[in-house]
Amino acid sequence: MRLLLGVWLLALSLMADAHIFVYHRFGDTRYPSTDTSINVLKKQFAYFKERGYEVVPLSRVVEALERGDEIPDNWVVLTIDDSYKSFYENGLPIFKEYGYPFTLFVYTGATEKRYPDYMTWEQIKEAMKYGEVGFHSHTHPHMVSKSDDYLREDFKKGIELMEKRLGLKPLFFAYPYGEYEDRVKKISKEFGFKAICNQNVGAVSKESDRFDLDRIALTGDPNLEEKLKSRFLPATWMKPEKWPNDGVVKKVRIETKSSAKKGWLYMTGYGWRRVSLKDGVVEEILNLPLKNRRSRLILKLEKDRISTKILVKP
């Protein structure tokens, strides 16, 4: 009986969610809003190791999603956006020390033009010995504000550069600034990526859309334990679909499969409010003007299940 109970508990532990984290700069105090100190990085890596988390490549999670496999609760994926030189100089030695894989999303235009704060192609090739590389755009634009033609040309130029300079076609893409909408997502998928990453609060389960993977930012010194509590919430955001023309969120409608009766809804600039669910649906009249050009709506239900919607002003 105890053996059967143990097997059952083990099965439950495997039927859970992984977490994808995103870093930007390392040990670069000039930019505190996007920086992670080396002491904090070491503390986080020690936390993963001491508590039995397995740091896996993004490709391993994507392969599991493609097969429809359960995602182990102890999987952690580490990604780095922008390919800043501080990763190569300060962060990479710590990744190597712990043997942790990573996915580096390359801002190709900055590297090609040899901007001083960014890694060179030679440094990126060296980093590829220890992790994966993905694409982070060529010009790092606010994509929601750009035309379809501009976006397609940006993808084309950047991908061709990675093929020429690195000898590979990137399999993964991460939105600059974490900004996107359905139009941008649709164009992004045209270029054959196996997965696309956002920068929304949440987690990854077997039900996740591999073309809309949630990533949690780890800048400053966040509460890592709290970040790891988040769970994936399957939800369809019916309203609002995108930034409203008048800048006012009149109504929210979110469809879930949850049996929860109550939850919490967050909106940038307004904080959290209690909401009710009927047959898994949240329908709330807000009539609230958006305060930031990049705003988030977050639905949180029991057991820290979270779904996020980003709204970006064109």
Side-chain angles (χ1 to χ4, degrees):
M1 179 64 72
R2 287 183 178 178
L3 178 60
L4 289 174
L5 178 61
V7 171
W8 179 73
L9 289 173
L10 176 61
L12 280 182
S13 71
L14 293 175
M15 297 171 63
D17 303 336
H19 292 83
I20 305 176
F21 294 112
V22 53
Y23 296 98
H24 292 82
R25 304 175 191 266
F26 298 85
D28 189 345
T29 57
R30 297 173 301 166
Y31 305 96
S33 65
T34 55
D35 185 49
T36 300
S37 75
I38 300 308
N39 286 338
V40 167
L41 185 66
K42 288 181 177 179
K43 182 175 70 173
Q44 291 171 348
F45 283 12
Y47 185 98
F48 295 143
K49 184 175 181 180
E50 292 165 3
R51 285 162 178 77
Y53 287 95
E54 183 181 359
V55 179
V56 301
L58 177 60
S59 56
R60 190 167 174 188
V61 172
V62 173
E63 288 164 3
L65 290 173
E66 288 177 316
R67 294 192 300 265
D69 293 348
E70 299 291 348
I71 306 294
D73 189 45
N74 70 331
W75 276 9
V76 166
V77 176
L78 304 176
T79 67
I80 302 101
D81 280 6
D82 300 312
S83 51
Y84 288 114
K85 190 168 289 185
S86 66
F87 168 64
Y88 183 78
E89 295 176 342
N90 303 328
L92 182 57
I94 312 304
F95 279 81
K96 289 164 63 175
E97 177 184 338
Y98 278 82
Y100 285 169
F102 55 84
T103 300
L104 176 68
F105 287 102
V106 178
Y107 170 11
T108 56
T111 291
E112 183 68 10
K113 294 178 181 178
R114 295 187 173 273
Y115 290 167
D117 259 5
Y118 294 82
M119 295 169 65
T120 65
W121 290 116
E122 291 74 20
Q123 290 169 338
I124 293 171
K125 285 181 181 178
E126 176 66 20
M128 286 169 58
K129 298 176 183 177
Y130 308 98
E132 304 170 334
V133 294
F135 182 53
H136 194 47
S137 81
H138 182 61
T139 60
H140 207 282
H142 293 280
M143 288 189 153
V144 172
S145 303
K146 299 299 184 181
S147 69
D148 293 3
D149 288 343
Y150 183 100
L151 293 178
R152 290 190 175 99
E153 185 63 18
D154 187 275
F155 278 109
K156 182 175 180 291
K157 284 184 177 180
I159 292 170
E160 286 178 353
L161 263 178
M162 292 188 73
E163 291 177 320
K164 180 179 179 180
R165 304 298 191 203
L166 303 176
L168 61 81
K169 183 177 181 180
L171 299 178
F172 313 119
F173 172 64
Y175 299 110
Y177 308 104
E179 298 178 358
Y180 67 106
E181 60 182 10
D182 287 345
R183 177 183 68 93
V184 174
K185 178 181 176 181
K186 182 180 179 181
I187 292 172
S188 303
K189 290 174 67 175
E190 292 176 6
F191 290 85
F193 299 111
K194 296 186 71 173
I196 299 174
C197 295
N198 60 45
Q199 196 171 314
N200 291 334
V201 178
V204 177
S205 84
K206 67 176 295 184
E207 297 178 88
S208 292
D209 177 0
R210 60 188 171 93
F211 298 108
D212 199 5
L213 295 176
D214 292 335
R215 295 187 302 165
I216 301 172
L218 289 185
T219 53
D221 189 6
N223 186 326
L224 194 55
E225 183 179 1
E226 285 299 314
K227 303 288 187 186
L228 287 161
K229 285 181 180 178
S230 63
R231 294 290 177 262
F232 177 75
L233 172 64
T236 302
W237 291 76
M238 306 302 293
K239 293 181 181 297
E241 294 182 81
K242 59 181 180 179
W243 183 278
N245 291 334
D246 60 1
V248 177
V249 176
K250 297 179 177 64
K251 179 180 179 180
V252 168
R253 180 181 171 89
I254 313 161
E255 298 181 359
T256 80
K257 298 177 182 178
S258 175
S259 60
K261 301 300 181 184
K262 296 287 184 179
W264 292 92
L265 180 69
Y266 171 87
M267 182 170 167
T268 299
Y270 295 95
W272 294 93
R273 62 192 291 162
R274 198 73 163 139
V275 293
S276 299
L277 289 83
K278 183 177 180 181
D279 298 325
V281 177
V282 175
E283 199 153 22
E284 193 83 2
I285 302 298
L286 297 183
N287 288 320
L288 295 174
L290 291 160
K291 296 182 177 181
N292 296 35
R293 64 163 298 276
R294 182 172 63 224
S295 297
R296 283 185 172 85
L297 292 164
I298 303 173
L299 177 64
K300 183 176 181 179
L301 302 184
E302 78 289 343
K303 299 179 182 178
D304 295 300
R305 297 198 172 276
I306 290 175
S307 178
T308 304
K309 177 74 173 182
I310 187 170
L311 300 175
V312 183
K313 187 175 183 178

